[in-house]
């Protein structure tokens, strides 16, 4: 029993303390056993444990093999050093998951709890430190997070079962100085098709029973009493139909539409373009103090983004985008000029 326990402790030290970039020697592991668990073993016993673990976990326990002289009789001896444990998730994969948790619309406390679990997938990815980062959008955290997660789970099961769902519409009303989500009496039945995450929100793509060819999207966090029904959905929509709808209505990038925008040739303005469009923006020209970008994006999303950054950005093309922004500007001016 003691032998099995020591083997487990060695594995725990390798998983927690070693990585491909920072492997451990057998001496390091012996010191860790003594320091953390008050377990003392000899050098030869450690070599025996490592050999047994390599035989049982050939794909997980990695090591570098080298030869040395036996101090007793001078004979050559093969030992394993630079040991580390291959984790199921790589460091880059765990960091990607951690970034997703940070971007999720969850309360800070729940983010910290999730990040601690994610960090356990590969302790060397550095994800654990993210729990100390506070979201700048904490005031936007909703009290309906549990409801959101429940809705997503219910909808995911309904999509897998190809079953119809029923829900009640929710609406935010002002009560005692706060916006509170309340259920209306309006009930809807739809055929769920796909769940989409976009700009920090989750949406359900669905069709109504009598019109299976027309897709709609619904904010999942304002759907209440979501229930899977014992009714099969109408004929399935195609992946291309769903993809086309996402690009047109929800997704900012990947659209076939292009627009040309002009921004001030200053570091903050250039950073805004990079943050919003990344590889979907390319420089097409420059004038005195300005730089022109061609962006490939959903034009409605570009329109909304330009309105947010109107002091630094101008739409050059297409004509309909400039026209829509001019209409928006006239409407806002009229609103503020009204006494």
């Amino acid at each position: 029993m003691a032998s099995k326990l020591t083997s487990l402790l060695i594995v725990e030290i390798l998983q927690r303390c070693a990585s491909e970039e920072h492997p451990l020697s057998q001496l390091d592991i012996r010191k860790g056993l003594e320091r953390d668990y008050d377990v003392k073993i000899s050098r030869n016993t450690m070599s025996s444990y490592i050999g047994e673990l390599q035989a049982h976990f050939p794909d997980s326990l990695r090591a570098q093999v080298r030869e040395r002289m036996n101090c007793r009789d001078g004979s050559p001896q093969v030992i394993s050093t630079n040991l580390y444990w291959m984790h199921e998730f790589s460091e880059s994969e765990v960091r990607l998951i951690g970034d997703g948790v940070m971007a999720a619309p969850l309360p800070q406390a729940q983010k910290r709890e999730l990040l601690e679990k994610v960090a356990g997938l590969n302790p060397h990815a550095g994800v654990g430190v993210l729990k100390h980062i506070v979201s700048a959008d904490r005031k936007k955290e909703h009290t309906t997070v549990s409801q959101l997660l429940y809705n997503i789970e219910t909808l995911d099961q309904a999509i897998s079962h190809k079953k119809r769902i029923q829900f009640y519409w929710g609406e935010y009303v002002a009560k005692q100085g706060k916006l509170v989500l309340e259920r209306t009496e309006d009930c809807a039945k739809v055929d769920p098709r796909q769940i989409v995450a976009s700009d920090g929100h989750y949406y359900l793509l669905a069709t109504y029973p009598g019109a299976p060819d027309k897709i709609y999207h619904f904010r999942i966090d304002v759907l209440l009493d979501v229930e899977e029904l014992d009714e099969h959905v109408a004929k399935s929509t195609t992946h291309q139909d769903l993809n086309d709808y996402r690009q047109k209505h929800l997704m900012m990038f990947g659209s076939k539409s292009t627009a040309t925008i002009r921004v001030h040739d200053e570091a903050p303005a250039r950073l805004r373009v990079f943050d919003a469009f990344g590889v979907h923006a390319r420089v097409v020209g420059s004038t005195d103090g300005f730089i022109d970008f061609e962006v490939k994006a959903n034009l409605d999303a570009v329109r909304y983004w330009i309105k947010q950054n109107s002091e630094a950005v101008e739409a050059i093309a297409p004509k309909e985008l400039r026209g829509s922004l001019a209409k928006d500007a006239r409407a806002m001016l009229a609103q503020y000029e009204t006494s």
Side-chain angles (χ1 to χ4, degrees):
M1 181 64 70
S3 174
K4 292 181 179 179
L5 177 59
T6 303
S7 295
L8 291 174
L9 295 178
I10 292 173
V11 171
E12 198 278 333
I13 289 175
L14 287 168
Q15 290 179 331
R16 175 168 50 87
C17 304
S19 67
E20 186 173 3
E21 293 79 11
H22 302 93
L24 298 179
S25 67
Q26 292 192 24
L27 178 60
D28 294 329
I29 299 173
R30 287 169 56 202
K31 289 180 177 178
L33 287 171
E34 185 173 355
R35 178 187 65 248
D36 300 336
Y37 307 106
D38 197 25
V39 174
K40 299 180 181 180
I41 59 176
S42 67
R43 184 172 66 181
N44 289 338
T45 304
M46 171 58 71
S47 295
S48 177
Y49 277 124
I50 296 299
E52 291 177 2
L53 288 172
Q54 286 176 315
H56 282 87
F57 305 102
D59 297 326
S60 299
L61 179 54
R62 302 296 175 88
Q64 178 184 348
V65 178
R66 66 179 179 86
E67 289 188 359
R68 72 178 181 187
M69 301 302 293
N70 191 312
C71 59
R72 293 182 177 177
D73 56 17
S75 61
Q77 183 181 21
V78 176
I79 67 167
S80 297
T81 187
N82 292 339
L83 298 125
Y84 64 94
W85 196 267
M86 283 292 295
H87 293 275
E88 185 176 355
F89 291 87
S90 68
E91 294 180 21
S92 59
E93 288 173 332
V94 173
R95 282 194 292 268
L96 183 63
I97 297 172
D99 290 341
V101 172
M102 285 297 296
L106 300 173
Q108 196 68 25
Q110 191 167 358
K111 286 184 181 181
R112 283 196 296 267
E113 182 181 338
L114 284 174
L115 286 169
E116 288 178 359
K117 294 178 180 179
V118 170
L121 298 174
N122 190 330
H124 315 289
V127 170
V129 301
L130 295 178
K131 65 183 180 182
H132 302 297
I133 300 175
V134 178
S135 171
D137 298 326
R138 292 186 68 180
K139 292 183 178 179
K140 297 180 182 178
E141 292 170 1
H142 304 301
T143 58
T144 57
V145 171
S146 296
Q147 182 69 36
L148 169 64
L149 298 179
Y150 171 80
N151 285 352
I152 291 175
E153 182 179 357
T154 304
L155 294 171
D156 181 67
Q157 291 179 354
I159 292 171
S160 298
H161 299 159
K162 296 185 178 180
K163 290 296 185 67
R164 187 163 292 157
I165 64 163
Q166 172 182 290
F167 60 83
Y168 286 86
W169 295 100
E171 66 177 5
Y172 281 97
V173 296
K175 279 192 173 182
Q176 298 178 344
K178 294 182 179 181
L179 287 176
V180 181
L181 183 65
E182 289 192 348
R183 196 189 91 164
T184 69
E185 295 304 315
D186 297 325
C187 180
K189 288 186 178 182
V190 299
D191 294 342
R193 305 297 184 177
Q194 196 172 70
I195 297 172
V196 180
S198 179
D199 196 26
H201 296 291
Y202 292 89
Y203 298 88
L204 170 69
L205 301 191
T207 58
Y208 283 97
D213 296 324
K214 188 170 179 59
I215 302 171
Y216 297 86
H217 67 270
F218 308 94
R219 276 272 298 271
I220 294 178
D221 58 321
V222 295
L223 307 183
L224 300 177
D225 297 339
V226 179
E227 178 185 359
E228 179 181 327
L229 303 176
D230 191 20
E231 302 175 22
H232 286 282
V233 301
K235 69 173 185 176
S236 298
T237 54
T238 67
H239 288 294
Q240 188 60 47
D241 290 337
L242 295 170
N243 183 62
D244 290 344
Y245 187 90
R246 288 198 311 271
Q247 300 297 348
K248 181 178 180 181
H249 297 277
L250 295 176
M251 309 302 288
M252 181 149 184
F253 308 121
S255 170
K256 296 179 180 179
S257 302
T258 58
T260 303
I261 59 175
R262 177 167 292 168
V263 303
H264 292 289
D265 192 5
E266 300 171 349
R270 294 194 299 269
L271 181 60
R272 291 190 198 184
V273 175
F274 177 80
D275 285 344
F277 301 98
V279 297
H280 298 278
R282 66 184 186 93
V283 177
V284 293
S286 61
T287 56
D288 186 25
F290 295 92
I291 186 169
D292 294 346
F293 291 90
E294 183 181 80
V295 297
K296 192 173 183 181
N298 177 305
L299 292 185
D300 287 335
V302 176
R303 174 185 173 187
Y304 176 72
W305 181 79
I306 290 178
K307 288 167 66 176
Q308 291 179 304
N309 300 274
S310 57
E311 79 284 359
V313 183
E314 177 188 357
I316 304 301
K319 184 177 180 180
E320 59 266 30
L321 177 60
R322 285 182 62 87
S324 297
L325 286 163
K327 183 178 179 181
D328 294 338
R330 286 193 294 269
M332 182 173 287
L333 180 63
Q335 178 179 340
Y336 283 97
E337 284 184 337
T338 302
S339 60

